[in-house]
Amino acid sequence: MNAPVSWIKEYTDLDGVSVKELCDALTMSGSKVERWTCEADEIKNVVTGKVLEMHRHPDSDHLWVCSVDCGGDKPLQIVTGAQNVNVGDVVPCALDGAELPGGHVIKTGKLRGELSEGMMCSLGELGLTVHDFPECIEDGIAILDPSLEPGKDICGVLGLDDTSIEFEITSNRPDCMCVSGLGREAAATFRKPFRFPEPQVRKAAGSIEGMLKVRNETPDNCLRYTAAIVKNVRVKPSPVWMRQRLRLCGVRPINNIVDITNYVMLEYNQPMHAFDYRNVKDNEIIIRQAREGEHIVTLDDIDRALTPDMMVIADSEKPIAVAGIMGGEYSGTYDDTNTVIFESACFSAVNVRYTEKGLGMKTESSVRFEKGLDPENTLKALTRALELVEELDAGDVVGGFVDIKGNMPERRTLKLDPDRINSFLGTDLPVEEMVSMLRSLEFEVSDDLTVTPPSFRADILLMNDIAEEIARLYGYNNIPSTIMTGVATAQLTERQHFERDLARRLVAAGLYEVKTYSFMGTKTLDLLNEPADSELRKAVVISNPFGDDTALMRTTILPSMLEVVARNVNARVPSGSFFEIGVAFHAHEDPNELPDEDRDLVIASYNSLGFYGVKGVVEDICRNANTAVPEFAPLTDSTMYHPGRAATVSVDGNVIGTMGELLPTVASNFDIRERVTVAVISVEKLYANRGGVRKFTPLPKFPAMTRDIAVVCDESVPSGDLEREIRVACGDSLESLTVFDVYTGEKVAAGKKSIAYSLVFRHPDRTMTDDEADKAISESLRRLERKGAVLRS
C-alpha cells in the first residue's frame, strides 16, 4: 500500500514530524514501512521557462534555436527538435547540470554548431505520462500553464515534491489498506485527534425509486449492496490534485468517473464500480451465483468461463461483472456515457478468493475483498463518491440510495481486564490510559469496561487482541524485559543430544553437512536401479506437487545426497565428503494412515575418503555411540552398489545400514563421472543399539603385549569373519586387533590371499605373561583353521 504523506497529514496534525520520524513511529506501532520515495529526488535543476524567441537552426531543417527566460539574469539559448513549441509557451527546462529520472545528466553543449544551454523536457523525460497530464501530448515538449512564472522549480509546479510511503499491510489489517486507515493509525500513534469528516451530498435532485431495482439472491456471499445513480455525466480529466494523489498511490488516472471510484477505494478501502446505466438490461441488478456454462468477457477483453461457485453481478439477461473482481466489457464508462450506477458492495472474502483463484486473476478490488471488508463502510464510501461527483462537477446526483443488506456479522463485545493485561504484558498502565488508547482507535469502551471493537476491526476476537492494541500503542520498546515465570525450561531430549553429537562427530571427521528437500520425483528410484518390487517404491504421493520432480515424499535420502554430489562435481570441486541426517517417509497400505517417518544418516564421498575411509567414519560413529564393534559383511545382491565393494553394517547381529561404492551406471544416472562411496545408516537402529554412558578409563598401569600373525585363506573369505574368530579366541585380554597387510601374488597360491593381523593384549589388573599370550594365539589359529585360514609359512 502506497500513501502520500500530504494525504495522511489531512487526517491529523503532524506538523513538525519529519518523514523519517513518521515512518519510524508507524513501524513501531504496527504499520510496517518498507520504504519512502519522492519523485523530486530524481529531478534536480529543472525549472519553468518561457519561450521568448524562436528561429530555425542554420544547419538543420527540423531544429529550432530558442531564447528562453528561465528566471535568470538573462535568457538562455536552448536548441530543440520539438515541433509543438511556440513563442510564449511555458515549458520545463533542464539547466546545465540538471538530473532527470533514470540517472540522465544534462550539460551545456553544442548542437550542430549552435550553443544549447539546457534542454526542454517532455513528460516522459520527467517520468510522467499523458494520464498524469492529459493536457499535454505524449511525443512532444510538455506545455504548461502560461501564467506560471519563469524559474519556478518544476517539482513544486507539477506536484512532484510529495513523499510516498510504501507500507507492508498484514492480512489481518485490511482497514489499513487505505489512506484514512493509515491516518487513523498515525493519529493514534502520535496521540493526536483523528479528523475524518462525514461526506455529504448537497445537490441531489429527483429520486432513485423506479430507476433501479436490486435483488440479492446470495445473502451469505453478498453482505451488503449499496447503489446510487448520477445523471448527465460529464466525462473529462480529473483535477490535478486528484491525479497527483492517484499517481503517488500507484494508480493510473483515466477520467473523472473512474478516478472517483479509485480515489474512494484508496481513501475508504471500499472498492467501487461505475456501470453505464444504458447497458443494464431492464434497469435491474441481480447479485447471484453464476449458472453452469455461463461466460463473461471482462474489461481486459478475456472471455472467462464461470462456475456456480462464483458470484456475479447480473442484469435481467446476463452477467455484467464478476463480483468483487472486475466488470464486464460493457460495464465501464465511455465518452458518451450519460447516466451511471455507482456500486458500493461488501462481498464474502472466501467467495472472492475462490473466484479469483479459479479465474486466475487478481485486481486491486479482489486483493481488498479477499482480506475481508467492513459492510458498514459501503454507504459512507458511496456518499463520498457522490460528494466528489458534485465537487468535480462530473454529473447530477439523483436523490436516494438502494441499500440491500445480506447476512451481516454482528459486532462482538469483550470485557477489558486491566490487571490481566498488565500481567500479560509486564506493564503497569492505569486503566484510564488503556481506555484512551482504545478510543483513539475508535473502540467503544463503556463505563463498565465493556469493549466493542469498530466494525472494520474483525480481527479483534480475544482479550489478547485487546492487549496487543494497547502494547503497540504504548510501544513495544517501552515494555520492560522480564523472564517468564511458571514455564518449564526447554531442554534437549536424549535423542536430540544423540543426533547433535552424531553431527558434530561427522563434522570433526571432515564431512560437510547438507540439508535437502524431503521430496523426490517419480523417476528418482529408477536412477538408483531399484527393482519394481522394492519397498522404497511405497511412497506418499503429493496431491498438489510443484512438478514431477517433487511428486513424492522421499523414501530414501540417498538421491538428494547424490544431487548434491553431482552439483559439486559439475562445479569442478575436486573432492568432497558430505552427510545429511534427515527423514525418509514410508507409506502404509491405507492411504489415510500417516506414513512412518524414519531418520537416516547418509554419507557420500568422492575423490576423498574411498571405501575404507567411509568404513572408518562408520566405525567411529559406532564407537562414539558406544555400540558393540560393528561388523561388515559382503553385500552381493544390491542393484545399486559395485559388486565386491559393498557391505552391510551390523551391530550385535542387527543390520543398521549399508555402505559401498556406487555402480558407475548409477553414478552416471546422476551425471556424476567420479567414483562415489556412500553409506546409508538408520539413525533409529543406531540409537537403539547405543551403549550406556561412556565412562572415563584411566591410563593402563600394566604393559601391553603384542603379537603379529599372518594367515592364508581363500580370496573370497571376508576379513571380518576371521576377526570375529580371533576376538572370540582371545577374550577380554585382547585390547585391539588391526589388519596391517593384505597380500595376493606369486608368493601365495592362486586364489589365495595373505592377511596380517596385529594383536595387542593387556590385563587391567596385572601383567600378562607370554604363556597367556601364546595360548591366545594358539586358540586363535585353531579357530581360524576351521574357517580355512592357516598360518602362513
Side-chain angles (χ1 to χ4, degrees), residues 562 565 569 574-577 604-612 614 642-645 660-665 667-668 672-678:
L562 293 180
V565 173
V569 169
S575 62
S577 299
S605 179
Y606 71 95
N607 293 342
S608 180
L609 295 178
F611 180 89
Y612 290 105
V614 172
H642 198 296
R645 301 176 188 169
E661 184 178 317
L662 288 182
L663 279 169
T665 54
S668 178
I672 302 172
R673 297 172 297 280
E674 309 290 340
R675 295 173 63 174
V676 182
T677 304
V678 302

Side-chain angles (χ1 to χ4, degrees), residues 477-493:
N477 54 321
N478 295 322
I479 298 176
S481 298
T482 56
I483 299 175
M484 295 181 67
T485 58
V487 179
T489 304
Q491 293 182 344
L492 294 177
T493 64

